[in-house]
Amino acid sequence: MSFEYSAKYIKQLSRAVEQKEDAYLLNEFEDMHAADISAVMEGLSAEDCKYILDLLDPNVGADVISDLEDDIRKNFMSLFEAEELSKYLDQTDSDDAADILNELPVKMREEVLGSMKNQEKVLYIVDLLHYEEDCAGGLMAKELVKVNINWNVHQCIEEVRRQAKKVDKVYTVYVVDDHDILLGRISMKRLLIADEEDKVADLYEPEIAKVHSYQEDEEVAELMQHYDLEVIPVVNVQGRLIGRITIDDVVDVITEQAEKDQQAMSGLSEDIEERDSLWAMARARLPWLIVGMSGGLLGANFLGGFEDELRLVPAMAFFIPLITATGGNVGIQSSTIVVQSLASGGFQGSVFDRYFRVLIVAILNGLTLALLVYAFNFLFIEHALAVVVSVALFSVIMIASFMGTITPIVLDKFGINPALASGPFITTCNDLIGLGVYFTVAKMLLHS
């Protein structure tokens, strides 16, 4: 069903909870997707959410809890008893269940695990709790389908049927040896059309992309993007198959990284959301605002050093915004392209080729803009100042292009998020450099 997610709709649901109109609530949520239910619940109080969830089927409730935003879910789960929460985790994939349990106090976590009925899933979850959140082991789910290389097709199909009951989506069937060492994969189509007595050893594909449990989540996302994979197996240091990572978990990683980069480019020093406290939002914005303000103060003092030039040719002041804005825009364009290259796995070709291309593009853009500015200024101001502005603009574009290219590379080498180079950092630097170039050129040409 379609629904109107509005303040009026949320108020209507709250009233229905208050008056315990269970039939109405069940009818509203009966055909609604779990992700849509989660979106609606983000507008309700935690108490109202719990009331509605208690009415729903545990399978649906498990999906709803998994889809909730972390901070909302944390407040929401504080209302549950361990036994209540365990019935939902029994229906949740092991990776999502481990993420949820990590948000609970240790005592509550132990109580929930002790109340769960699916003991195999408990073992899966306990194993996953040992991994850091931002590595392949923290992303993977333990549920998968695997077959032994020594089996025939008949044995495989029977085993696949048994294992598939525990797996929501079967993307592929993995092939292992007697020690669970990952050897390759076999497609369901090939299993179904093969003769029952055919051996897996003669049918499987040995070439398979895989990741180790200790690899960073960004490496996993990059690999799955590169090979356009829906799922990728995870192995330990001995090469044993221990889990799989599905595309939905990788999409979350990509989204989180994109949000971090966007916030870094906007000059936010912390990961914040609109619902965060006023102090948290102010604290995240202040550092780079202070950097920008400091740059402005330095720029003002810098202009004081060229007071004589401004007094001699007051019209120079009119072109300060042009110089600084153009330098800032060129720097951001250059750094954004480099940041995208770094995010997609680094540069292709030699460093010399890249800088040569940057140089040619900067020259073309610089000459075009400088000539346009000169043609415009030639009609309204004296020739000498028109030349100064055009030469300064060309010089600023060249330097800003170089700065925008080299800055994110240097930041990346030192382990700093290169997206910072596309925000206030590069803008402030280019403003100061642009002013310096402008007045240096003016001093050289006007006094020559």
Side-chain angles (χ1 to χ4, degrees):
M1 64 174 283
S2 60
F3 65 94
E4 182 186 359
Y5 182 32
S6 61
K8 181 179 179 181
Y9 182 72
I10 294 299
K11 189 174 181 181
Q12 187 176 335
L13 289 176
S14 296
R15 190 185 305 114
V17 171
E18 185 180 348
Q19 297 175 0
K20 301 189 184 307
E21 298 176 5
D22 295 355
Y24 166 77
L25 292 169
L26 283 171
N27 182 62
E28 281 295 298
F29 293 109
E30 183 178 7
D31 298 321
M32 194 181 291
H33 193 279
D36 293 330
I37 298 175
S38 299
V40 171
M41 286 190 170
E42 289 179 8
L44 295 168
S45 67
E47 290 77 10
D48 289 349
C49 289
K50 184 178 184 305
Y51 185 88
I52 293 171
L53 205 66
D54 287 339
L55 297 176
L56 302 178
D57 183 270
N59 284 310
V60 176
D63 291 337
V64 171
I65 292 176
S66 297
D67 284 332
L68 285 172
E69 292 289 335
D70 293 349
D71 53 343
I72 294 175
R73 183 169 62 204
K74 192 172 182 179
N75 294 331
F76 172 58
M77 290 192 303
S78 64
L79 302 175
F80 284 86
E81 297 293 333
E83 191 170 344
E84 291 178 304
L85 192 55
S86 67
K87 73 176 181 181
Y88 296 113
L89 295 192
D90 272 323
Q91 311 299 327
T92 306
D93 287 342
S94 57
D95 57 333
D96 292 329
D99 291 340
I100 292 169
L101 285 175
N102 270 325
E103 298 167 5
L104 299 175
V106 176
K107 181 175 182 294
M108 180 67 166
R109 187 188 310 166
E110 296 295 330
E111 290 174 351
V112 172
L113 287 170
S115 301
M116 289 178 64
K117 296 178 180 178
N118 189 335
Q119 290 304 305
E120 184 179 25
K121 182 158 292 185
V122 170
L123 294 176
Y124 286 167
I125 295 170
V126 170
D127 185 33
L128 292 176
L129 289 174
H130 296 143
Y131 293 100
E132 296 291 334
E133 188 177 348
D134 57 354
C135 69
L139 285 178
M140 71 178 180
K142 300 289 288 187
E143 295 87 357
L144 50 79
V145 177
K146 62 183 179 180
V147 297
N148 191 288
I149 192 171
N150 300 312
W151 294 348
N152 60 30
V153 169
H154 175 74
Q155 289 174 292
C156 282
I157 291 176
E158 290 299 316
E159 186 63 22
V160 167
R161 285 174 179 166
R162 186 186 70 80
Q163 294 181 33
K165 294 176 183 178
K166 307 173 186 178
V167 183
D168 286 340
K169 295 179 182 178
V170 179
Y171 293 97
T172 192
V173 178
Y174 299 112
V175 178
V176 298
D177 64 11
D178 293 335
H179 303 289
D180 266 352
I181 302 296
L182 179 64
L183 301 176
R185 61 180 294 275
I186 186 170
S187 68
M188 291 295 297
K189 179 181 178 180
R190 195 155 193 187
L191 272 179
L192 292 173
I193 65 176
D195 293 334
E196 288 191 349
E197 297 305 318
D198 287 348
K199 294 290 185 180
V200 172
D202 300 324
L203 301 174
Y204 85 105
E205 302 168 29
E207 297 297 325
I208 185 171
K210 60 187 175 184
V211 293
H212 287 85
S213 58
Y214 56 79
Q215 287 183 251
E216 294 184 2
D217 53 6
E218 292 178 22
E219 290 182 68
V220 177
E222 181 185 321
L223 188 63
M224 292 186 72
Q225 278 185 298
H226 182 72
Y227 291 107
D228 195 23
L229 301 174
E230 292 182 331
V231 63
I232 192 166
V234 182
V235 297
N236 63 15
V237 290
Q238 287 84 28
R240 289 193 178 93
L241 178 64
I242 58 174
R244 65 172 189 163
I245 298 172
T246 52
I247 189 64
D248 56 318
D249 295 312
V250 169
V251 168
D252 291 340
V253 172
I254 295 170
T255 302
E256 288 174 12
Q257 186 58 42
E259 289 175 351
K260 288 179 183 177
D261 289 345
Q262 186 178 25
Q263 290 184 338
M265 293 167 69
S266 302
L268 297 174
S269 59
E270 299 177 24
D271 184 13
I272 59 168
E273 297 179 1
E274 191 176 358
R275 68 173 69 91
D276 289 339
S277 67
L278 296 177
W279 166 241
M281 295 178 72
R283 185 182 61 207
R285 299 181 187 191
L286 269 176
W288 284 108
L289 288 177
I290 292 172
V291 170
M293 181 194 69
S294 301
L297 292 174
L298 285 173
N301 289 330
F302 192 81
L303 287 175
F306 293 92
E307 189 175 351
D308 293 339
E309 282 73 14
L310 285 172
R311 190 182 298 113
L312 182 65
V313 188
M316 285 183 61
F318 300 152
F319 298 98
I320 292 175
L322 169 69
I323 298 295
T324 56
T326 304
N329 288 335
V330 170
I332 288 174
Q333 287 178 345
S334 300
S335 61
T336 299
I337 292 172
V338 176
V339 169
Q340 288 175 342
S341 297
L342 290 170
S344 61
F347 303 128
Q348 302 297 324
S350 67
V351 175
F352 175 79
D353 289 340
R354 170 161 292 276
Y355 286 129
F356 181 74
R357 288 170 60 85
V358 169
L359 176 64
I360 297 301
V361 171
I363 290 173
L364 291 174
N365 288 337
L367 285 175
T368 302
L369 294 178
L371 289 173
L372 287 173
V373 168
Y374 177 78
F376 177 83
N377 287 338
F378 184 77
L379 301 174
F380 300 102
I381 62 175
E382 61 181 83
H383 174 73
L385 183 56
V387 171
V388 167
V389 174
S390 298
V391 172
L393 185 64
F394 177 81
S395 303
V396 166
I397 290 172
M398 295 296 294
I399 294 173
S401 295
F402 176 76
M403 286 289 295
T405 301
I406 195 67
T407 303
I409 297 174
V410 172
L411 291 176
D412 186 60
K413 290 294 183 184
F414 283 96
I416 302 171
N417 188 351
L420 288 172
S422 297
F425 180 81
I426 198 72
T427 305
T428 302
C429 288
N430 280 332
D431 283 350
L432 295 174
I433 292 171
L435 288 173
V437 170
Y438 181 36
F439 284 102
T440 300
V441 170
K443 196 166 187 176
M444 290 171 60
L445 295 182
L446 293 179
H447 291 284
S448 59

